[in-house]
């Protein structure tokens, strides 16, 4: 099968189209023929090793000390079940599914095997493959941070920084689903977008400083890593929380603290995702309460261009890779050539 692989950390052109072995489903696995996947900020970080402050050493331990441990990136996908293992009961060939492969990656390919008990569910009937592929990264992360870590409640005042991004667009919609009053912060170009997905108020940060507000928010949800508890503290209510999705090491270690009497705190960490979260996301999408936002689409073989766009840090929602017959191939490159013998670069058709 064809896949996008990388053999060293670096700029977008370290990813390349290659021929790799097609996986076979084990007893309790399904084999998905992928129709669409995405390039997310997780792919950008794993490819470039550009990590939030304090994480550079830890990053190499996670992704591979001398080079990437997992040659195929891609955290989410949508497609059709092509085959199932002998013991699989939940899925059958032909089912349309979407899945979150998260830190296991492996979705930038024509096929991926996934445990039937993993983060895989049937696609909402009203979505196409590209939309379904764009559902899980932003929504699972937003759900984990808003509901599980921050304990969002009906009637909460929630401010979302980076509201036009992948996690941000999901966070706006999920916060509305949980009954919060949402103020979204974004640049001028994205004001209409965030309003269209349900934000009650929008702050264009080029015109106005969100931090002028006093005792206003129960939750400040920051996907941009541009703020701190010290800056947010006056805007948070008593017991308010700064949710640092892109948390620094200091924030993760709990070193950013407010006075004990205020009860204000930073919440940071890594999102934890369950199969139940995936079911909820599918249901919300089916009801129209969660609409994936797609910015650009690229063919799988142009993954390097998709990475370059994600690297700008300015995408809106998701960047999709269409996985079709891979009509156009290119013989790239150093990255592919350095891979194990199992992984062969694809040659131009003559
Ligand atoms: N802890 C975890 O488990 C976890 C999980 C998922 C993601 N993350 C992290 O969360 C972050 C956001 O991810 P994402 O996928 O949502 O990113 P994204 O889709 O690239 O969106 C980022 C948004 O931030 C805004 N932005 C960029 N630079 C800014 C700046 N200097 N000031 C204000 N806004 C700025 C941009 O909107 P405008 O153009 O409108 O400014 C953009 O839409 C990433 O750093 C990612 O690594 C962490």
């Amino acid at each position: 099968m064809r896949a996008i692989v990388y053999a060293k950390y670096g700029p977008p052109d370290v990813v390349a189209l290659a021929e790799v072995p097609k996986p076979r489903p084990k007893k309790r696995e399904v084999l998905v023929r992928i129709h669409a996947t995405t390039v997310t900020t997780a792919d950008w970080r794993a490819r470039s090793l550009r990590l939030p402050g304090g994480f550079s050493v830890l990053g190499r331990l996670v992704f591979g000390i001398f080079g990437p441990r997992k040659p195929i990136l891609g955290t989410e996908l949508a497609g059709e079940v092509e085959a199932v293992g002998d013991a699989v009961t939940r899925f059958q060939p032909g089912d349309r599914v979407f899945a979150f492969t998260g830190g296991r990656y492996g979705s930038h390919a024509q096929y991926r095997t996934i445990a039937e008990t993993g983060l895989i569910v049937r696609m909402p009937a009203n979505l196409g493959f590209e939309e379904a592929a764009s559902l899980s990264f932003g929504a699972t992360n937003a759900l984990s941070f808003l509901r599980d870590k921050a304990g969002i409640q009906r009637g909460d005042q929630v401010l979302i920084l980076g509201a036009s991004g992948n996690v941000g667009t999901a966070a706006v919609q999920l916060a509305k689903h949980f009954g919060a009053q949402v103020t979204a912060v974004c640049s001028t170009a994205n004001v209409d977008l965030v309003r269209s997905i349900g934000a009650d108020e929008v702050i264009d940060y080029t015109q106005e400083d969100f931090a002028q507000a006093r005792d206003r928010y129960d939750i400040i949800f920051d996907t941009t890593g541009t703020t701190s508890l010290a800056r947010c503290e006056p805007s948070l209510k008593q017991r308010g929380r700064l949710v640092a999705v892109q948390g620094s090491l200091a924030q993760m270690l709990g070193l950013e603290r407010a006075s004990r009497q205020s009860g204000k705190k930073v919440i940071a960490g890594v999102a934890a995702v369950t199969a139940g979260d995936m079911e909820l996301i599918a249901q919300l999408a089916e009801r129209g309460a969660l609409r994936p936002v797609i910015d650009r689409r690229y063919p799988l073989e142009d993954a390097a261009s998709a990475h370059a766009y994600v690297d700008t840090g300015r995408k809106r929602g998701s960047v999709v890779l269409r996985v079709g017959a891979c009509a156009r191939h290119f013989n790239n490159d150093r990255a592919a050539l350095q891979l194990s013998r199992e992984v062969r670069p694809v040659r131009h058709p003559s």
Side-chain angles (χ1 to χ4, degrees):
M1 70 167 183
R2 299 208 156 98
I4 299 296
V5 300
Y6 77 131
K8 63 178 182 185
Y9 304 116
D13 66 3
V14 298
V15 303
L17 190 66
E19 190 71 34
V20 302
K22 182 177 170 182
R24 283 182 174 187
K26 299 193 186 109
K27 245 171 106 177
R28 294 180 198 285
E29 286 182 340
V30 301
L31 175 70
V32 182
R33 178 164 182 254
I34 300 172
H35 288 276
T37 175
T38 63
V39 178
T40 65
T41 46
D43 300 311
W44 157 62
R45 291 202 184 282
R47 191 211 75 229
S48 65
L49 271 196
R50 290 190 58 190
L51 301 165
F55 282 103
S56 49
V57 175
L58 197 61
R60 281 203 179 252
L61 290 177
V62 171
F63 296 116
I65 295 174
F66 302 110
R69 197 173 289 130
K70 299 190 170 102
I72 303 175
L73 292 171
T75 63
E76 57 186 345
L77 62 87
E80 280 168 273
V81 173
E82 184 172 282
V84 298
D86 293 345
V88 167
T89 56
R90 285 182 59 219
F91 297 98
Q92 56 187 26
D95 285 348
R96 289 154 64 97
V97 293
F98 73 102
F100 183 55
T101 54
R104 294 192 168 91
Y105 293 93
S107 296
H108 291 172
Q110 288 183 303
Y111 293 91
R112 174 79 158 84
T113 50
I114 299 170
E116 71 160 335
T117 52
L119 303 176
I120 176 168
V121 288
R122 284 193 179 70
M123 271 172 52
N126 55 331
L127 296 193
F129 289 115
E130 292 173 12
E131 290 173 304
S134 307
L135 264 181
S136 53
F137 179 84
T140 53
N141 282 296
L143 196 58
S144 172
F145 279 97
L146 274 179
R147 183 195 61 189
D148 305 336
K149 296 186 196 297
I152 190 171
Q153 300 289 321
R154 177 162 291 280
D156 275 355
Q157 288 283 346
V158 177
L159 179 95
I160 297 173
L161 299 169
S164 57
N166 194 345
V167 180
T169 50
V172 169
Q173 298 178 80
L174 289 170
K176 289 306 298 173
H177 164 71
F178 289 119
Q181 188 76 9
V182 174
T183 304
V185 183
C186 61
S187 61
T188 313
N190 293 322
V191 166
D192 290 345
L193 166 70
V194 297
R195 200 167 272 138
S196 76
I197 55 172
D200 299 290
E201 288 178 44
V202 182
I203 295 176
D204 173 349
Y205 64 73
T206 67
Q207 306 294 319
E208 190 184 340
D209 180 8
F210 77 88
Q212 296 302 312
R214 291 287 173 270
D215 299 320
R216 163 103 198 255
Y217 300 108
D218 298 282
I219 296 172
I220 295 181
F221 185 92
D222 176 24
T223 74
T224 65
T226 56
T227 195
S228 63
L229 186 58
R231 183 160 145 71
C232 293
E233 208 177 331
S235 307
L236 285 168
K237 291 182 190 170
Q238 183 92 2
R239 312 194 70 73
R241 287 86 78 204
L242 166 62
V243 178
V245 177
Q246 188 186 321
S248 64
L249 190 58
Q251 288 174 321
M252 294 227 188
L253 294 175
L255 302 179
E256 261 191 32
R257 290 198 190 143
S259 69
R260 202 172 277 172
Q261 303 91 296
S262 80
K264 298 174 189 178
K265 62 178 178 184
V266 176
I267 294 174
V270 177
V273 184
T274 67
D277 296 341
M278 294 291 286
E279 293 288 356
L280 175 63
I281 288 163
Q283 286 163 17
L284 293 176
E286 185 119 46
R287 301 210 305 256
L290 180 63
R291 283 189 292 125
V293 172
I294 297 178
D295 186 340
R296 294 190 183 180
R297 298 162 170 86
Y298 296 83
L300 180 70
E301 59 266 40
D302 273 350
S305 304
H307 273 267
Y309 184 56
V310 173
D311 278 25
T312 65
R314 296 286 167 197
K315 72 178 164 67
R316 296 146 52 101
S318 295
V319 168
V320 165
L321 292 179
R322 291 172 163 155
V323 187
C326 290
R328 188 161 63 79
H329 309 307
F330 54 88
N331 179 18
N332 194 4
D333 87 31
R334 298 177 303 278
L337 292 170
Q338 287 165 13
L339 290 167
S340 76
R341 249 178 270 155
E342 281 192 318
V343 180
R344 287 180 291 112
V346 169
R347 310 219 167 265
H348 273 298
S350 50

